[in-house]
Structures are given as C-alpha cells and as structure tokens.
Amino acid sequence: MTAKPTPKPRRMAFEFDPKMDKYWYHGNSLMTTMLSVMSGMFPEGERFFIHAVRHYQDQVKDPELQKEIRAFIGQEAHHGNAHEVVNQLITERGVPVDQVEAEVIDKLKMAKGRLPARGQLAITIALEHFTAMLANWLLNHPEIMDDLPADMKELFIWHAIEEIEHKAVAFDVYQQCEGNYFVRVFFMMTATFKFLRDIVWFQSKFLWRDRHFPKLWEWRQTGRFLFGKGGALSSTLGHYLSYYKPGFHPWQHDNTHLIKDWEQRFPRIAERLDQHLAA
Ligand SMILES: [Fe+2]
Ligand SMILES: [Fe+2]
C-alpha cells in the first residue's frame, strides 16, 4: 500500500450563496433533500464521534495514533461547523434541516447516556465507514457535483478528502482499546438501518410538508445516482460488506491516490483554505 496519508485539520472559508435555490441539486427535490438531510446529521453526529474517541484518548499509548486522534478531532470539529453554516442556509431556503439537527441532538444525547463507551465508539467506526465509503465514491465521481452552487460542491469535496485521510483513526482506537468483532458488526447493522431509515423519513416529511410530489425525471435521476452503473449504492456494496470481514481494516481499501495532490486537482478548494485560521 502507498503510505497512508497523515490527517491534517484545515479550516475553510466558504461563501455560500444566500440566494441558493431551495432544491439546490439541479432542482431535484429528492436529491436535494437526501444530501441536505445528511448535511443536517453531520454537525452533532461528528461531535458525537469526537466525544466517543476522546473517551479513549488517554488509553492510547501509540504516539502516532495520539497525533492522528488530535487531527481527527480538529477535522471533525471543522466539518461540523461548516455544515452548521450551510444547514442554516438550507433551512432558510425552505428545507428545514434544523429539524434534523435537533432530532440528532436528542438521539445522541440519549445514546451518550445509555450506551457504554464501547458501543459509542462502535457506532462511530460504523458511521466513519459510511462516510469513508461515500467520500471514496464522490471523489471517483466528482462530476456529479458539476454545475452545483460552487461552495456547496467544494464543501462536500473538502469533507470527502478529510474523511478519507482520517478514515482509520477511530477504527484503530477501537482495535487497540476494545477490538470485539461482534460488537463492531452489531453496531454496523443497527447504524446502517437507522442511517438509511432516518434519511428517507426526513425526506418524506419535508416533501409532504410542502405537498411536493417529485416528478418522474427526479426519481430517474435519483435512481441513476444511487442504483445506476457506478451508482453511489450499487457500486459501493462490496466496499460496505468488507466491514463484516473479521480481519477488516479501512486501509485495505487503498484509495490514497484520490486525495494525493488534491490541491492541484481542486484548486478552487485549496483557495478556500483559511490561511489565517488554519489549525
Ligand atoms: Fe467529517
Ligand atoms: Fe469522519
């Protein structure tokens, strides 16, 4: 494997268009609500990941992993903050993802109170597998974000780059401090079900609230996006299932080439790097 990348927190200075369309993904209500609901889940979700990993920080003896944990925390904190800004705009434009944020806050508060630290970390590594998988897919198909509001596209691509960079950090903490295979797999099954269910639930709720019934072209475009040749779900099934192998490790799927020299591939994103505030 090519040497794995070192995660590095970057604070970005995006400028989202305040006049962005309500259905900012090419006017497609299904695609927009799907991506917006995910964005709504990120801020508190990523704070939960930080909380779950922090619990083990003192137990990790490996100085390299200690360094990676600090970078992981910085990256996830910046992601949460950036998505919070865009979520407010999405809400103002008419898709109330603030409701997603509020519900995620409640659910995760409950999870923190009821689940042992091991369960919280197992949820974290399951959802980190999801984000790494979607990030891998997105960076293989950046063209699906062409012609979107520029900063929206850049937000998702920046997030994807950093999700790949730190995809094994929480996993390595789990393996070093816990390591139980059955717990890992059990929480992946429940997290998969809840993650997909919640996205569809919020999408239905938002569309029903506006009595907006997606047209045939919206269903077709979304169907192709998810299940078409090279689609976001159809082409990632194998990647998803690899998590269930007892000897799985995120870097067995070597995709360092996708983030190598990203500054050259995505110069507009590199320009967004907030030089003054870079962590
Ligand atoms: Fe993130
Ligand atoms: Fe992450």
Side-chain angles (χ1 to χ4, degrees), residues 14-24 85-86 88-94 149-152:
F14 293 115
E15 288 160 26
F16 299 106
D17 176 9
K19 294 198 180 66
M20 183 176 80
D21 289 340
K22 174 179 180 179
Y23 296 132
W24 52 268
V85 173
V86 88
Q88 197 185 337
L89 175 62
I90 295 172
T91 301
E92 283 164 13
R93 302 308 291 154
D151 280 63
M152 202 58 130

mmCIF file of all heavy atoms in Angstrom, residues 14-24 85-86 88-94 149-152:
data_model
loop_
_atom_site.group_PDB
_atom_site.id
_atom_site.type_symbol
_atom_site.label_atom_id
_atom_site.label_comp_id
_atom_site.label_asym_id
_atom_site.label_seq_id
_atom_site.Cartn_x
_atom_site.Cartn_y
_atom_site.Cartn_z
ATOM 1 N N PHE A 14 -15.702 29.240 3.371
ATOM 2 C CA PHE A 14 -16.657 29.135 2.261
ATOM 3 C C PHE A 14 -17.548 30.369 2.250
ATOM 4 O O PHE A 14 -17.773 31.006 3.281
ATOM 5 C CB PHE A 14 -17.537 27.887 2.434
ATOM 6 C CG PHE A 14 -16.785 26.603 2.291
ATOM 7 C CD1 PHE A 14 -16.657 25.733 3.368
ATOM 8 C CD2 PHE A 14 -16.210 26.243 1.072
ATOM 9 C CE1 PHE A 14 -15.961 24.533 3.244
ATOM 10 C CE2 PHE A 14 -15.517 25.052 0.942
ATOM 11 C CZ PHE A 14 -15.390 24.197 2.032
ATOM 12 N N GLU A 15 -18.056 30.659 1.064
ATOM 13 C CA GLU A 15 -19.021 31.766 0.962
ATOM 14 C C GLU A 15 -20.247 31.222 0.241
ATOM 15 O O GLU A 15 -20.286 31.187 -0.982
ATOM 16 C CB GLU A 15 -18.414 32.921 0.155
ATOM 17 C CG GLU A 15 -17.334 33.666 0.899
ATOM 18 C CD GLU A 15 -16.433 34.448 -0.039
ATOM 19 O OE1 GLU A 15 -16.876 34.819 -1.137
ATOM 20 O OE2 GLU A 15 -15.265 34.652 0.335
ATOM 21 N N PHE A 16 -21.212 30.775 0.998
ATOM 22 C CA PHE A 16 -22.396 30.175 0.381
ATOM 23 C C PHE A 16 -23.302 31.270 -0.169
ATOM 24 O O PHE A 16 -23.422 32.349 0.417
ATOM 25 C CB PHE A 16 -23.129 29.309 1.407
ATOM 26 C CG PHE A 16 -22.278 28.189 1.918
ATOM 27 C CD1 PHE A 16 -21.733 28.241 3.206
ATOM 28 C CD2 PHE A 16 -21.981 27.094 1.125
ATOM 29 C CE1 PHE A 16 -20.923 27.219 3.683
ATOM 30 C CE2 PHE A 16 -21.177 26.070 1.594
ATOM 31 C CZ PHE A 16 -20.649 26.131 2.876
ATOM 32 N N ASP A 17 -23.919 30.969 -1.298
ATOM 33 C CA ASP A 17 -24.781 31.944 -1.965
ATOM 34 C C ASP A 17 -26.109 32.074 -1.208
ATOM 35 O O ASP A 17 -26.895 31.120 -1.172
ATOM 36 C CB ASP A 17 -25.018 31.473 -3.414
ATOM 37 C CG ASP A 17 -25.996 32.377 -4.146
ATOM 38 O OD1 ASP A 17 -26.343 33.445 -3.602
ATOM 39 O OD2 ASP A 17 -26.407 32.000 -5.264
ATOM 40 N N PRO A 18 -26.397 33.235 -0.629
ATOM 41 C CA PRO A 18 -27.636 33.362 0.153
ATOM 42 C C PRO A 18 -28.892 33.218 -0.698
ATOM 43 O O PRO A 18 -29.978 33.015 -0.171
ATOM 44 C CB PRO A 18 -27.533 34.776 0.763
ATOM 45 C CG PRO A 18 -26.494 35.479 -0.030
ATOM 46 C CD PRO A 18 -25.592 34.458 -0.638
ATOM 47 N N LYS A 19 -28.731 33.317 -2.028
ATOM 48 C CA LYS A 19 -29.903 33.172 -2.902
ATOM 49 C C LYS A 19 -29.969 31.781 -3.531
ATOM 50 O O LYS A 19 -30.647 31.568 -4.541
ATOM 51 C CB LYS A 19 -29.856 34.229 -4.003
ATOM 52 C CG LYS A 19 -30.017 35.640 -3.473
ATOM 53 C CD LYS A 19 -30.398 36.582 -4.622
ATOM 54 C CE LYS A 19 -30.579 37.998 -4.151
ATOM 55 N NZ LYS A 19 -29.339 38.624 -3.656
ATOM 56 N N MET A 20 -29.260 30.850 -2.943
ATOM 57 C CA MET A 20 -29.232 29.480 -3.473
ATOM 58 C C MET A 20 -30.666 28.948 -3.648
ATOM 59 O O MET A 20 -31.553 29.251 -2.847
ATOM 60 C CB MET A 20 -28.477 28.635 -2.441
ATOM 61 C CG MET A 20 -28.262 27.211 -2.806
ATOM 62 S SD MET A 20 -27.251 26.438 -1.513
ATOM 63 C CE MET A 20 -28.473 26.114 -0.250
ATOM 64 N N ASP A 21 -30.877 28.142 -4.703
ATOM 65 C CA ASP A 21 -32.209 27.559 -4.925
ATOM 66 C C ASP A 21 -32.596 26.666 -3.762
ATOM 67 O O ASP A 21 -31.729 26.017 -3.163
ATOM 68 C CB ASP A 21 -32.203 26.681 -6.196
ATOM 69 C CG ASP A 21 -32.098 27.520 -7.446
ATOM 70 O OD1 ASP A 21 -32.414 28.730 -7.378
ATOM 71 O OD2 ASP A 21 -31.671 26.968 -8.480
ATOM 72 N N LYS A 22 -33.896 26.594 -3.512
ATOM 73 C CA LYS A 22 -34.377 25.692 -2.458
ATOM 74 C C LYS A 22 -33.933 24.258 -2.768
ATOM 75 O O LYS A 22 -33.379 23.572 -1.907
ATOM 76 C CB LYS A 22 -35.903 25.775 -2.400
ATOM 77 C CG LYS A 22 -36.531 24.781 -1.459
ATOM 78 C CD LYS A 22 -38.039 24.957 -1.436
ATOM 79 C CE LYS A 22 -38.694 23.961 -0.501
ATOM 80 N NZ LYS A 22 -40.154 24.143 -0.455
ATOM 81 N N TYR A 23 -34.190 23.832 -4.005
ATOM 82 C CA TYR A 23 -33.726 22.493 -4.414
ATOM 83 C C TYR A 23 -32.427 22.675 -5.186
ATOM 84 O O TYR A 23 -32.419 22.746 -6.420
ATOM 85 C CB TYR A 23 -34.812 21.779 -5.226
ATOM 86 C CG TYR A 23 -36.049 21.510 -4.392
ATOM 87 C CD1 TYR A 23 -37.319 21.819 -4.851
ATOM 88 C CD2 TYR A 23 -35.932 20.949 -3.119
ATOM 89 C CE1 TYR A 23 -38.442 21.581 -4.062
ATOM 90 C CE2 TYR A 23 -37.042 20.718 -2.328
ATOM 91 C CZ TYR A 23 -38.293 21.041 -2.802
ATOM 92 O OH TYR A 23 -39.404 20.813 -2.015
ATOM 93 N N TRP A 24 -31.359 22.796 -4.416
ATOM 94 C CA TRP A 24 -30.081 23.233 -4.968
ATOM 95 C C TRP A 24 -29.391 22.167 -5.809
ATOM 96 O O TRP A 24 -28.441 22.478 -6.515
ATOM 97 C CB TRP A 24 -29.155 23.737 -3.857
ATOM 98 C CG TRP A 24 -28.991 22.781 -2.706
ATOM 99 C CD1 TRP A 24 -29.733 22.760 -1.566
ATOM 100 C CD2 TRP A 24 -28.050 21.709 -2.593
ATOM 101 N NE1 TRP A 24 -29.311 21.747 -0.746
ATOM 102 C CE2 TRP A 24 -28.287 21.084 -1.344
ATOM 103 C CE3 TRP A 24 -27.027 21.217 -3.413
ATOM 104 C CZ2 TRP A 24 -27.536 19.976 -0.907
ATOM 105 C CZ3 TRP A 24 -26.274 20.121 -2.973
ATOM 106 C CH2 TRP A 24 -26.529 19.521 -1.744
ATOM 107 N N VAL A 85 -23.220 25.992 9.203
ATOM 108 C CA VAL A 85 -23.457 27.233 8.452
ATOM 109 C C VAL A 85 -24.347 26.947 7.247
ATOM 110 O O VAL A 85 -25.339 27.634 7.001
ATOM 111 C CB VAL A 85 -22.105 27.854 7.993
ATOM 112 C CG1 VAL A 85 -22.351 29.036 7.066
ATOM 113 C CG2 VAL A 85 -21.287 28.285 9.201
ATOM 114 N N VAL A 86 -24.012 25.906 6.514
ATOM 115 C CA VAL A 86 -24.805 25.628 5.308
ATOM 116 C C VAL A 86 -26.196 25.119 5.678
ATOM 117 O O VAL A 86 -27.172 25.401 4.989
ATOM 118 C CB VAL A 86 -24.045 24.682 4.340
ATOM 119 C CG1 VAL A 86 -24.283 23.230 4.626
ATOM 120 C CG2 VAL A 86 -24.461 24.970 2.917
ATOM 121 N N GLN A 88 -28.028 26.149 8.067
ATOM 122 C CA GLN A 88 -28.865 27.313 8.351
ATOM 123 C C GLN A 88 -29.388 27.910 7.042
ATOM 124 O O GLN A 88 -30.560 28.261 6.923
ATOM 125 C CB GLN A 88 -28.046 28.337 9.130
ATOM 126 C CG GLN A 88 -28.931 29.363 9.800
ATOM 127 C CD GLN A 88 -28.124 30.461 10.475
ATOM 128 O OE1 GLN A 88 -26.954 30.269 10.807
ATOM 129 N NE2 GLN A 88 -28.733 31.601 10.667
ATOM 130 N N LEU A 89 -28.500 27.960 6.049
ATOM 131 C CA LEU A 89 -28.913 28.488 4.748
ATOM 132 C C LEU A 89 -29.959 27.580 4.092
ATOM 133 O O LEU A 89 -30.967 28.044 3.573
ATOM 134 C CB LEU A 89 -27.672 28.629 3.845
ATOM 135 C CG LEU A 89 -27.923 29.044 2.407
ATOM 136 C CD1 LEU A 89 -28.575 30.431 2.334
ATOM 137 C CD2 LEU A 89 -26.616 29.056 1.613
ATOM 138 N N ILE A 90 -29.722 26.270 4.138
ATOM 139 C CA ILE A 90 -30.682 25.318 3.540
ATOM 140 C C ILE A 90 -32.047 25.495 4.211
ATOM 141 O O ILE A 90 -33.088 25.508 3.552
ATOM 142 C CB ILE A 90 -30.164 23.858 3.684
ATOM 143 C CG1 ILE A 90 -28.883 23.645 2.866
ATOM 144 C CG2 ILE A 90 -31.227 22.858 3.254
ATOM 145 C CD1 ILE A 90 -28.187 22.303 3.099
ATOM 146 N N THR A 91 -32.031 25.657 5.531
ATOM 147 C CA THR A 91 -33.281 25.858 6.284
ATOM 148 C C THR A 91 -33.965 27.141 5.826
ATOM 149 O O THR A 91 -35.167 27.152 5.546
ATOM 150 C CB THR A 91 -32.979 25.913 7.799
ATOM 151 O OG1 THR A 91 -32.346 24.690 8.175
ATOM 152 C CG2 THR A 91 -34.251 26.091 8.624
ATOM 153 N N GLU A 92 -33.175 28.218 5.719
ATOM 154 C CA GLU A 92 -33.754 29.499 5.284
ATOM 155 C C GLU A 92 -34.329 29.414 3.878
ATOM 156 O O GLU A 92 -35.301 30.080 3.556
ATOM 157 C CB GLU A 92 -32.675 30.598 5.298
ATOM 158 C CG GLU A 92 -32.363 31.091 6.698
ATOM 159 C CD GLU A 92 -31.047 31.880 6.765
ATOM 160 O OE1 GLU A 92 -30.485 32.256 5.697
ATOM 161 O OE2 GLU A 92 -30.571 32.091 7.887
ATOM 162 N N ARG A 93 -33.711 28.593 3.041
ATOM 163 C CA ARG A 93 -34.192 28.473 1.664
ATOM 164 C C ARG A 93 -35.424 27.574 1.560
ATOM 165 O O ARG A 93 -35.958 27.378 0.491
ATOM 166 C CB ARG A 93 -33.080 27.956 0.728
ATOM 167 C CG ARG A 93 -31.831 28.800 0.678
ATOM 168 C CD ARG A 93 -32.080 30.268 0.390
ATOM 169 N NE ARG A 93 -32.546 30.516 -0.969
ATOM 170 C CZ ARG A 93 -33.282 31.562 -1.337
ATOM 171 N NH1 ARG A 93 -33.669 32.448 -0.446
ATOM 172 N NH2 ARG A 93 -33.652 31.703 -2.596
ATOM 173 N N GLY A 94 -35.825 26.935 2.655
ATOM 174 C CA GLY A 94 -37.103 26.211 2.634
ATOM 175 C C GLY A 94 -37.060 24.722 2.924
ATOM 176 O O GLY A 94 -38.099 24.064 2.903
ATOM 177 N N PRO A 149 -24.189 24.814 -6.890
ATOM 178 C CA PRO A 149 -23.607 26.022 -6.286
ATOM 179 C C PRO A 149 -22.164 25.715 -5.869
ATOM 180 O O PRO A 149 -21.913 24.716 -5.177
ATOM 181 C CB PRO A 149 -24.501 26.264 -5.069
ATOM 182 C CG PRO A 149 -25.801 25.596 -5.406
ATOM 183 C CD PRO A 149 -25.450 24.419 -6.275
ATOM 184 N N ALA A 150 -21.216 26.566 -6.324
ATOM 185 C CA ALA A 150 -19.790 26.243 -6.207
ATOM 186 C C ALA A 150 -19.370 25.875 -4.785
ATOM 187 O O ALA A 150 -18.692 24.864 -4.574
ATOM 188 C CB ALA A 150 -18.959 27.404 -6.725
ATOM 189 N N ASP A 151 -19.772 26.652 -3.814
ATOM 190 C CA ASP A 151 -19.286 26.382 -2.466
ATOM 191 C C ASP A 151 -19.905 25.126 -1.870
ATOM 192 O O ASP A 151 -19.318 24.499 -0.983
ATOM 193 C CB ASP A 151 -19.511 27.591 -1.556
ATOM 194 C CG ASP A 151 -18.424 28.630 -1.786
ATOM 195 O OD1 ASP A 151 -18.351 29.151 -2.904
ATOM 196 O OD2 ASP A 151 -17.626 28.873 -0.869
ATOM 197 N N MET A 152 -21.073 24.775 -2.343
ATOM 198 C CA MET A 152 -21.713 23.542 -1.891
ATOM 199 C C MET A 152 -20.877 22.342 -2.360
ATOM 200 O O MET A 152 -20.557 21.443 -1.596
ATOM 201 C CB MET A 152 -23.116 23.501 -2.498
ATOM 202 C CG MET A 152 -24.038 22.636 -1.782
ATOM 203 S SD MET A 152 -24.165 23.164 -0.072
ATOM 204 C CE MET A 152 -25.890 23.243 0.095
#
